[in-house]
Amino acid sequence: MTRRRRFADSGQAFPIYITVVGGLLFLAFAYLAVGQAAANRNGAQTAADAAALAAAQERRDQLSGAWVENLLDPEKWQDIFDGLADGLTPTCWRAEELAASNDATVLSCNADGLLSYTVEVQTNKTVGDSIVPGTETKKSRATATAVIEPRCGFELLPEGEEADEAEKLPTLNCKGGIDWELDPKAPQDLLPNPEDLFDVHLAD
């Protein structure tokens, strides 16, 4: 009787064991699907961040070049620091380059005003096959905004002093307590670099 009872108990436990193992396998595959989706979303966000920063940095470099070109005309400096300058060209091509290098495609790239870019991208790869229906064709999207901020301020020279000392330029007072005493006759490589004049960062 004892042996038969043990066999009966074993027979009853086997279906429970199969059910538990099946449930654990389902949970494992579910976690795998969640991980795949999260990795795909993270890839999309990385691509969006890089693309937005690239577009903004290209604009920063253009503004810096415009400032150098107008070095002897301080009346134009503030417009340049505000994002206004002659000869500026579209910069979203840089966003497309950086998105492509992160295996994504730019869906939209917009200048929000003069000193900000918002980029939306979509991953080229899908989430992949999983127990969740539809993931084999699902691609992730993400959006990022990059901002350009002037790092420096200045005060125009009084008109009389400017007339008497035509070669003297205003001092650039920049973040970090850095002051640039500008010499109009100095070589260009001694002038502030783009990163000295403007910060580029992702919006909060």
Side-chain angles (χ1 to χ4, degrees), residues 102-122:
N102 284 278
D103 203 14
T105 301
V106 171
L107 299 179
S108 65
C109 175
N110 299 302
D112 308 319
L114 299 173
L115 296 174
S116 179
Y117 282 86
T118 296
V119 177
E120 182 183 13
V121 307
Q122 177 176 274

Side-chain angles (χ1 to χ4, degrees), residues 22-198:
L24 290 174
L25 286 174
F26 177 83
L27 287 175
F29 285 122
Y31 279 123
L32 178 61
V34 171
Q36 287 177 309
N40 202 258
R41 285 195 301 270
N42 289 340
Q45 192 60 60
T46 297
D49 292 348
L53 287 170
Q57 287 170 349
E58 179 66 19
R59 174 64 81 228
R60 175 203 64 186
D61 292 350
Q62 292 182 6
L63 291 171
S64 178
W67 179 81
V68 172
E69 291 176 2
N70 291 277
L71 182 64
L72 301 182
D73 191 359
E75 295 285 347
K76 294 183 178 180
W77 288 6
Q78 191 57 57
D79 282 345
I80 294 171
F81 283 126
D82 290 339
L84 288 169
D86 294 331
L88 298 179
T89 59
T91 66
C92 283
W93 63 272
R94 286 288 291 139
E96 294 170 358
E97 279 191 349
L98 266 292
S101 68
N102 284 278
D103 203 14
T105 301
V106 171
L107 299 179
S108 65
C109 175
N110 299 302
D112 308 319
L114 299 173
L115 296 174
S116 179
Y117 282 86
T118 296
V119 177
E120 182 183 13
V121 307
Q122 177 176 274
T123 56
N124 293 331
K125 292 182 179 179
T126 64
V127 173
D129 293 333
S130 73
I131 63 171
V132 180
T135 58
E136 64 276 4
T137 59
K138 180 69 174 178
K139 297 181 179 181
S140 296
R141 294 186 180 189
T143 301
T145 298
V147 177
I148 309 164
E149 290 186 351
R151 301 189 74 253
C152 306
F154 61 94
E155 292 185 6
L156 292 174
L157 299 173
E159 292 186 7
E161 183 177 344
E162 188 175 4
D164 294 338
E165 302 179 37
E167 293 186 350
K168 186 174 181 180
L169 297 174
T171 298
L172 282 181
N173 309 116
C174 303
K175 291 181 180 179
I178 300 174
D179 296 332
W180 290 85
E181 299 288 345
L182 300 167
D183 181 357
K185 297 180 181 179
Q188 185 168 328
D189 59 2
L190 296 180
L191 296 175
N193 293 316
E195 57 270 23
D196 298 318
L197 300 175
F198 300 92

